[in-house]
Amino acid sequence: MADTVDEELSARFSPNKPLPPDILTELQSIMRLHDLSPEDIYLKWDSYCLRMDYEAQEVTLAKIRSLKHAIQDTLEKDSSRRAQQPKTSATPRQPRGGDVYGILDGMVPSTPATSGKLRAPGSGLKRKAGETPRSSAPMSSPAGGMSEQLKTMNVGSVAVFSERTNAGEVVEIFGKQHDAPEPPMAPHAEARIRLKAASDQTKTGYKALAMKLSEASGILDDRIEEFQTLVQEYHSLEESSFGSAASQSTTPIVAVGRIASDSLTGKLNAASLVLETSRRTGMALRIPLDMSKIRSWSFFPGQTVALKGSNTSGKAFVVEEILEIPLLPNAASVPSALEAHLEKLRGGADAMVEDDSEPGPLNILFASGPYTADDNLDFEPLQALCSQAADAYADALILTGPFLDIDHPLIATGDFDLPDDANIDPDTATMATVFRYLVSPALNRLAAANPSITIIMVPSVRDIIDKHVCWPQDTVPRRDLGLPKAAKIVSNPMALNLNEAVVGLSSQDILFELGGEEVAHNPAHERLARLCRYLVEQRHYFPLFPSMERSRLPATGTENKTATGAALDVGYLKLGEMLNVRPDVMMTPSAFPPFARVVENVLMINPGTLSKRKGAGTFARMALFPPKVEGAELVDGMVGHRVFDRARVEIVRI
């Protein structure tokens, strides 16, 4: 049993080499003290590294002991907090911050100013004579220093953004065969990117919070039957080869269904694996899976699978083979389309460039929110990123939310001030007003300094400016946000054509949730590659169902520390599917350490968060070199994009 635990710990903490005995002993001690599984302790380690700005791959005895002390401190604080709470309360108390949500759309202008009221400078808020002033100064303008709002709060050691010492450090490089290009000497005369939607975002404008159980179950059933058709065609199987895993029979069949757990609240494990059938093929019955004959496997809840085996006892489906799910084809274009994109890169037909010259690569920056630390709303990391995009004359800046994060401590309480130049009546101010004065100025300065840039913004379900709180998520109306014309807000998720390259975007942290919910036995692939491959294989930006419980997500800086979660609208999950082809590039923002890697010919990029709760984060910088048209291999008259061969990606500290 101990050997099994040691193997699980080594597989999660150090997949490439065994963990030293002293570290294994310390980890086992933590597991015994707090009754944790190897998966649970690894998730705590991931969260701890994220908070302390450690690299999760660098496992040392000192860091593990620090993790042990941090877990113990958290338990002691929770126990102390519970002990101090009154046992009974005659009247429910108003949450700290007063009427936080009453100001979202300016619907309660008559609400008295409370401790949680958003205020504009000079609003004439008064206090009673002799009343102690609040320990907060008006928030500085975005170009100013850190606000004093949380300096007096117990938030631990907070690093000042302007005093960071590792700005510009390259953490990881993908595509080292390509030299880092020099930035152009002057801005481009016109945009070098032709932007085109590769998925229909008009359908995401559905009525949120109106999900019907019958519609949701129908969508889940349809997905099983669609995959059955794909498997039948890919493996050239007869219709008679398929059957219900729940039906007792000695004849081997192919069963297509969805992985689920036999407990509504329990975490998926090898003993709780069940296959859920569709209503048409198996009357929606669930049957336990016997995986004893399979040497290597990995599953997660909601995964659609095709399994070959038999149910001779009527109690379990004995799996003999896991059939491969066919992947979507690689993205490709006709040679004439690639030539048109090359001309666009050269600057158009009137450019002063030789036709046969090699145009410079596209310079694309990727970043994910949050964009400011927990102790202020200065958005200094966003300003620094926009300055870099302006100085390097970047062709595109791709930003995923949250922009105004509902899980930010100051946003959650509503206790902050607008900049001095915001001449706004606080009783009519909305969160769109906050966005216009805190977020938009940096983007407007970028668009003015680099007029040819294309800014793409993907909202998040944590964005307080968006009324559409479900995933898949509609676009945010631009009205009152004060964004430049170069900025385009798309749906979440979204597939875009940046010239020939198909880029898939989603702001939801699916990798962290998959990592916390999957169960694996002797997996054939390294963990991150395996999690990324799930997305490509399942042809979906969020194939997990149900989503992870909110209490297991990384803690926030808000009072209850509970994250918002995925907020899935199951009836519209089909809008999260990848259409027609695999993306060339897929942005997968996650709490996992940032990375760039190729999985099934898809360049996966996790830029990390631009701002961590108590410090600066990272972003990704991609140089995409132009495609080769002459001499390129043609398949059905098309040239494969092979972006992973033409790209250099750097993970950079902001």
Side-chain angles (χ1 to χ4, degrees), residues 221 224 244-246 256-258 275-279 281-285:
D221 276 358
I224 293 176
S244 171
V256 180
R258 180 172 47 256
L275 185 72
E276 182 177 347
T277 62
S278 69
R279 285 175 293 184
T281 60
M283 297 183 293
L285 295 174

Side-chain angles (χ1 to χ4, degrees), residues 328-339 341-342 497 499-502 581-585 600-602 624-647:
L328 285 167
N330 292 310
S333 299
V334 295
S336 59
L338 295 180
E339 289 286 0
H341 294 313
L342 286 174
N497 284 102
N499 291 350
E500 81 285 353
V502 181
V581 296
R582 277 175 265 175
D584 293 308
V585 180
E600 299 292 350
N601 293 345
V602 179
L624 181 57
F625 292 84
K628 302 290 185 183
V629 181
E630 286 191 20
E633 180 182 355
L634 295 178
V635 178
D636 296 331
M638 309 276 279
V639 178
H641 295 164
R642 298 186 64 85
V643 165
F644 58 90
D645 273 344
R646 303 190 276 119

Side-chain angles (χ1 to χ4, degrees), residues 19 24 34-35 49 119 149 240 308 330 406 485 605:
L19 285 173
L24 281 172
H34 303 290
D35 192 22
C49 290
R119 308 185 300 276
Q149 182 75 29
S240 58
K308 185 176 182 179
N330 292 310
I406 197 172
K485 291 183 179 180
I605 299 177

Side-chain angles (χ1 to χ4, degrees), residues 31 62 66 124 182 208 216 267 321 415 421 423 453 502 507 519 555:
M31 291 170 59
S66 297
E182 292 292 330
K267 184 179 179 298
E321 182 183 357
D415 197 2
D421 59 346
N423 243 345
I453 194 170
V502 181
S507 62
V519 57

